[in-house]
Amino acid sequence: MNQEYAYLALESWLLQQLQTGRWQVGERLPSVRMLCRERGVSKATVIHAYQRLEAQGRIEARPRSGYFVCAPLAAVRVSDRSDESTLIPQPVPVTSSELLTDIMMQGAAFDLLPGQQAPYLPAGLLLLNRAIARALRQSRGVSHQSYEEPAGFLPLRQLLAQRYQRDACQVTADQLCITSGCQNALYLALKASCQPGDLVAVESPGFYGVIQLLETLQLKVIEIPVKSGVGMDLKALERALMHWPIRACVVTPSFATPGGTLMPAGEQQCLLELAERYDLVVIEDDIYRELSFAGRLSPLKARDTQDRVILCGSYSKTLSRDLRLGWAISKRWHARIVYLKLMTQLASSHYVQQGLYDYLNSGEYDRYLRHRVTELYGQAQDWISAIQRRWQDQIVFDRPQGGLCLWVTWQCPIDTLALYPRALQQNVALTPGPLFSASGDFRQALRLSFAQPCTAAHEAALDRLQGLMHQ
Amino acid sequence: MNQEYAYLALESWLLQQLQTGRWQVGERLPSVRMLCRERGVSKATVIHAYQRLEAQGRIEARPRSGYFVCAPLAAVRVSDRSDESTLIPQPVPVTSSELLTDIMMQGAAFDLLPGQQAPYLPAGLLLLNRAIARALRQSRGVSHQSYEEPAGFLPLRQLLAQRYQRDACQVTADQLCITSGCQNALYLALKASCQPGDLVAVESPGFYGVIQLLETLQLKVIEIPVKSGVGMDLKALERALMHWPIRACVVTPSFATPGGTLMPAGEQQCLLELAERYDLVVIEDDIYRELSFAGRLSPLKARDTQDRVILCGSYSKTLSRDLRLGWAISKRWHARIVYLKLMTQLASSHYVQQGLYDYLNSGEYDRYLRHRVTELYGQAQDWISAIQRRWQDQIVFDRPQGGLCLWVTWQCPIDTLALYPRALQQNVALTPGPLFSASGDFRQALRLSFAQPCTAAHEAALDRLQGLMHQ
């Protein structure tokens, strides 16, 4: 028998013996030496098999006494309880329906086909994973006995600050706090700068994660319309500012989801002037900017001479959603953000930060990004053709200049929210317009992503959607 | 020249040329082909060097035009600003002094010698790191395009639930939510079950992370004394419950920091009866239980027939503080906890969960734990001898039955908080008693950890401490 698998063979033999009741619960198992003799295997093999069974909760080790049979586990309990819990009322938040949470989870995949998984990892991500794995291999007892500095690994913060400086944004490492992704950065930024009951202006349509986060933080939402090609309507924002004591404004100047709009430079300047005049905290969601089709852009924060902007970013949209690493940048609010991070999660993993640092520093990220942006540009054109072929005169949308999505509004009366469950039955995962508003508007709109290539399967999904709309 | 380092040599030559002004800001750099000829290197070498310079922000690539010199970065800005920001008043939380935060960060290392780092990684942790690295290598495009299920990776949740079942605690995977460490679990548990202004009972002395977290969540703290060998004084708790509408109680039944007490079974039962009578949410901090010197213990949650306990755990204290992975278990509050996690951080990394699952499942964790507990038992005896040799008649403490620390109270009048900065000057990192109370009590106590072996350097640190006390 192959020595490598001897312990697995022994493990399954032991399991069989346990099942047939050779040893009763509480009874002592044969000693390692006895079992070596009985089964003709090495001591290491017996110990390995016993340890695996112990990890599974089948047997337990008692100091200086050997191994004993445990009571059988209620293995079916998980599914039992699962059924039960759907019947018992649970304390769920009143403002978010299960349907919306479901759509949110599906929508986060940015794919019209539900449950799709890329068959392989792009080379750029393979290198990222290798960099993190290398950081793990090279950790020498540095990190397991202490927590990383709450603000995060300094070399990574310096490198990220440098990258912003390259984009004309003069931020420094001591203004940057590493977070568990961009949603976590938005949470910390809002929590640091607002009190429960405060009013916060958001884009409408806008990112559902922000709207729900505001509700969770007991902040009040004021929706400001987004204008085609312009972004948040600053005239509407100013009217709101004149009437209400608005504390903060969450805005995505570059390729906001779902609209995909790039806010022109003049508008960005004007927004900062309003912030100054009305003492507004501006929270910039900066996760799509690097996905620009026309070269590098500066964030809004680059124009922020009055330290009014808290910039929130991550590489979830450019690199990997599984990295769970983002940042919040602000001089004014930095100490408070770091303190809140310390309170709510102590620190971030060192090895992930070290791995990301190495990856960025090698130049591989920029290489991957260039390739990815070219790919996204091509995919955007394909998706636009695909929808124009089907709905030419019935839809309006802006041609994207970057980002991951198209915001498509039908001019005939359709209800995309009602369409969602029917489409899902036909294996089409829609992201309906009402998900992007606290007031349930945009029933005639869908967010359509070009993060995936428009394959034959996607074309077929669009056909099914067309069929459903005509029913 | 070694081919492997050719790009580094070219990079430093290019940097030199940039510094001497061979090319001006905005000027085009030589094409890849030209530079190959000029420097006698391969195309790959030139591209690699250019990419590294691009990542550093020295040059930029423009599509179909080549590489151009960027404006120099304000490289000294980081330290400049750093100085500046210490002068400008920052919005810092009023309730937490910088001294306490400093002590907290030092104390988290559980070492009397500041800034110490283990020279090597224990074999058990090496295997954990390998398991995570393997999970990274094996990810096949599954995870980078979507977020993990908010509650966490189901197989890991099932395995963790099984481990609790093995300790007579009948919880199931659908009650368990994976979090960013135990502090994050405590945050989610408190946030899910309490409203701002609610009263929360805590142990005194108790974990500083909880006291500060309560302040952050705008909850009011009621400190309940801890009795030697018993844990939270339940008579005192009941008196408080009769007088105040206390909403929740945070308790560490097994080897609480700093006291290290193991709450007897009868007391645990009594606590749950009080919880039932006074409609109390019990939040169990369960991070030290597996470090028991006398065999496996059950958590308080095992006796919780009324679903009043939210169990919070992690492997930070048994395995690695850098894992940043914990869990919160409750049937009643599960949906709310998962929703809050989704709102504040979306999800946890898949590969870390997969790696931890593989490591637990292989039996290596149990093996590591057995070894670690034996080691800690020995170290505890050494530390006890070391302090008894120095302060025999001046101190009181309980002999630990597990965990990582001793709570040592001097009977002569000393002030450990005042001692802290003086000790740090002599390279001794104390964890003073007042850190473990909202009211600043316990000035005559220190938490002393036996997480490290009591080396000659530690003995010398104790000598310095003794000298300071006699000054």
Side-chain angles (χ1 to χ4, degrees), chain A residues 412-433:
Chain A
C412 49
I414 61 161
D415 181 348
T416 55
L417 196 58
L419 218 50
Y420 175 83
R422 291 167 54 214
L424 203 55
Q425 279 179 353
Q426 295 198 23
N427 207 37
V428 181
L430 300 181
T431 316

Side-chain angles (χ1 to χ4, degrees), chain B residues 373-390:
Chain B
V373 167
T374 309
E375 188 176 63
L376 284 173
Y377 178 77
Q379 289 173 187
Q381 310 320 311
D382 294 344
W383 278 97
I384 289 172
S385 305
I387 57 169
Q388 282 183 327
R389 272 200 305 279
R390 286 171 181 82

Side-chain angles (χ1 to χ4, degrees), chain B residues 324-356:
Chain B
R324 310 313 309 128
L325 191 151
W327 50 86
I329 308 178
S330 160
K331 187 174 171 184
R332 188 178 304 191
W333 300 102
H334 180 71
R336 179 85 188 136
I337 287 170
V338 172
Y339 183 78
L340 285 169
K341 181 192 171 185
L342 183 66
M343 285 303 108
T344 55
Q345 54 182 301
L346 289 186
S348 313
S349 286
H350 173 79
Y351 64 87
V352 180
Q353 298 180 77
Q354 177 76 59
L356 179 61

Side-chain angles (χ1 to χ4, degrees), chain A residues 124-388:
Chain A
L125 290 186
L126 205 66
L127 292 170
L128 169 67
N129 284 356
R130 275 195 205 146
I132 299 173
R134 200 162 44 234
L136 272 165
R137 272 202 315 278
Q138 289 172 352
S139 67
R140 287 268 174 281
V142 178
S143 40
H144 76 285
Q145 284 178 336
S146 56
Y147 297 102
E148 178 70 51
E149 194 189 339
F153 181 48
L154 185 59
L156 176 62
R157 287 157 54 211
Q158 285 170 332
L159 189 58
L160 290 170
Q162 263 181 31
R163 293 182 64 88
Y164 277 102
Q165 289 167 23
R166 195 173 82 181
D167 294 335
C169 182
Q170 296 306 320
V171 298
T172 55
D174 58 335
Q175 300 167 357
L176 192 152
C177 177
I178 298 292
T179 66
S180 297
C182 190
Q183 179 79 8
N184 189 235
L186 292 169
Y187 159 73
L188 292 170
L190 283 163
K191 183 84 184 154
S193 59
C194 300
Q195 293 292 324
D198 279 352
L199 295 173
V200 179
V202 299
E203 293 150 331
S204 180
F207 174 45
Y208 49 80
V210 167
I211 299 168
Q212 300 203 353
L213 177 56
L214 293 175
E215 290 167 349
T216 304
L217 291 172
Q218 295 172 284
L219 298 167
K220 290 182 195 142
V221 179
I222 293 200
E223 297 194 296
I224 310 293
V226 165
K227 274 164 64 184
S228 163
V230 174
M232 184 180 269
D233 181 344
L234 297 183
K235 289 222 167 53
L237 175 63
E238 188 162 17
R239 280 195 302 274
L241 286 167
M242 288 191 292
H243 282 84
W244 304 99
I246 297 176
R247 171 69 180 152
C249 164
V250 185
V251 67
T252 314
S254 307
F255 319 123
T257 192
T261 319
L262 176 62
M263 191 181 241
E267 299 287 312
Q268 293 196 16
Q269 195 57 48
C270 177
L271 173 58
L272 292 180
E273 284 161 19
L274 284 179
E276 189 60 18
R277 200 173 324 143
Y278 292 94
D279 192 17
L280 199 64
V281 179
V282 179
I283 295 169
E284 176 177 20
D285 186 344
D286 187 42
I287 49 169
Y288 295 101
R289 180 177 47 89
E290 290 196 312
L291 298 177
S292 158
F293 297 158
R296 299 193 72 87
L297 298 171
S298 295
L300 175 66
K301 177 85 184 158
R303 303 167 188 277
D304 176 30
T305 52
Q306 305 300 318
D307 196 13
R308 296 213 156 265
V309 176
I310 309 179
L311 184 153
C312 299
S314 86
Y315 292 135
S316 283
K317 296 301 185 284
T318 52
L319 206 51
S320 166
R321 302 208 185 3
D322 203 35
L323 197 56
R324 309 313 311 125
L325 191 148
W327 50 87
I329 308 178
S330 159
K331 186 174 171 185
R332 189 178 304 192
W333 300 103
H334 181 71
R336 178 87 186 135
I337 287 170
V338 172
Y339 183 79
L340 285 168
K341 181 193 172 186
L342 183 66
M343 285 304 107
T344 55
Q345 54 182 302
L346 289 188
S348 313
S349 286
H350 172 79
Y351 64 87
V352 180
Q353 298 181 78
Q354 177 76 59
L356 180 60
Y357 169 81
D358 294 340
Y359 178 72
L360 289 172
N361 205 34
S362 72
E364 289 300 342
Y365 173 66
D366 291 292
R367 192 153 84 132
Y368 172 71
L369 193 61
R370 265 199 301 278
H371 168 79
R372 179 67 177 146
V373 167
T374 309
E375 187 177 66
L376 284 172
Y377 177 79
Q379 286 172 190
Q381 311 318 312
D382 294 344
W383 278 97
I384 289 172
S385 305
I387 58 169
Q388 282 183 327

